[in-house]
Amino acid sequence: MNEPLKFKWHSLYGELLLDRRLDDAWKKVKSNKGSGGIDGVTIADFEEDSSKRLSTILEKLKTKTYKPKPARRVYIPKKNGDKRPLGIPSVEDRIVQQRLTDILSPRFEKNVFHKCSCGYRPNYGMEKALQLILWNIEKGRNYIYDCDIKSFFDNIPHKKLMKVLNKYVADGSVLDLIESWLKAGYMEQGKFLEAEKGTQQGGLCRARHNPPYDEIDIMPRYC
């Protein structure tokens, strides 16, 4: 079992204000491609004037006037015939989300996430989960539980999620930023929909929304 975290991360917001790192975040968003948000600005549009647009984002972050836009709600088909809702943030919001992900992800990887949690993590995945399962079988643990949480990301309670993040993040500006993304809502067919629970499937910070469960020390998870 992992040892309890004995510290909290302070003064993270300042790391958002490094222009070179913000440019790195933009390059990652650009390489991921994807469509534009409700403002209609595509990757190609942003690229035409990226220096000026990045400077504007940086100024908003410095003056704390940055406000995320509602996500554009789209649906993709599932194998069972149902449709999965996705929230597509604006390119600007994806860049800021990517920058914060770059700040938080290494810290959570090193100090928080359990070795048996294999979903939505760099250098982890289905193959890693299978390796851990085989290792457990070799140790004589022969029971496998195959289960799925229906609409997991759609039903994450915001208050409980923020409570988990408060255990590790002491920077109130960063916590406010994350909560603003959770509360940004959606636009669908010209109507604004509030987000009372759940996280945007389509946004870049969702991996951080899958909280660690350190008490599970021998059960590989791919979720």
Side-chain angles (χ1 to χ4, degrees), residues 43-220:
I43 294 290
D45 294 332
F46 196 97
E47 187 175 17
E48 288 181 359
D49 198 14
S50 61
S51 294
K52 183 177 179 180
R53 290 179 183 272
L54 288 172
S55 294
T56 299
I57 293 173
L58 187 60
E59 183 62 24
K60 289 180 182 179
L61 291 172
K62 287 180 177 179
T63 58
K64 296 189 177 180
T65 56
Y66 163 78
K67 301 293 181 184
K69 299 177 179 66
R72 181 168 62 88
R73 174 62 64 84
V74 298
Y75 294 88
I76 59 173
K78 298 173 66 175
K79 292 181 179 180
N80 62 4
D82 293 338
K83 293 183 177 181
R84 182 189 304 278
L86 294 182
I88 309 299
S90 68
V91 175
E92 175 182 288
D93 290 335
R94 297 210 296 273
I95 292 170
V96 183
Q97 289 179 5
Q98 181 65 65
R99 178 64 196 124
L100 186 57
T101 297
D102 291 343
I103 293 169
L104 292 181
S105 183
R107 290 174 166 87
F108 275 80
E109 287 293 329
K110 181 179 180 180
N111 300 290
V112 181
F113 287 150
H114 198 280
K115 64 182 180 180
C116 290
S117 183
C118 299
Y120 303 102
R121 296 175 62 189
N123 303 317
Y124 280 76
M126 189 179 297
E127 290 186 1
K128 179 68 172 180
L130 290 173
Q131 290 173 3
L132 288 169
I133 289 171
L134 292 174
W135 180 83
N136 276 279
I137 290 174
E138 291 174 356
K139 293 293 183 179
R141 303 171 181 132
N142 296 321
Y143 292 95
I144 297 176
Y145 296 89
D146 182 8
C147 59
D148 180 43
I149 301 176
K150 184 177 180 180
S151 301
F152 172 73
F153 287 104
D154 294 333
N155 292 292
I156 292 178
H158 292 170
K159 286 185 178 181
K160 289 185 178 180
L161 172 58
M162 294 307 300
K163 184 177 181 180
V164 170
L165 290 173
N166 266 277
K167 289 173 58 179
Y168 306 101
V169 178
D171 191 321
S173 295
V174 167
L175 292 171
D176 289 344
L177 185 59
I178 294 172
E179 190 166 21
S180 73
W181 284 326
L182 293 174
K183 302 294 186 183
Y186 304 88
M187 290 297 295
E188 182 176 358
Q189 296 181 346
K191 295 182 179 180
F192 173 73
L193 304 175
E194 292 186 0
E196 298 180 354
K197 60 181 179 179
T199 64
Q200 294 176 359
Q201 294 191 66
L204 291 166
C205 284
R206 72 175 184 187
R208 306 284 72 76
H209 298 156
N210 189 359
Y213 295 94
D214 292 340
E215 67 274 13
I216 305 175
D217 67 337
I218 61 170
M219 183 182 294

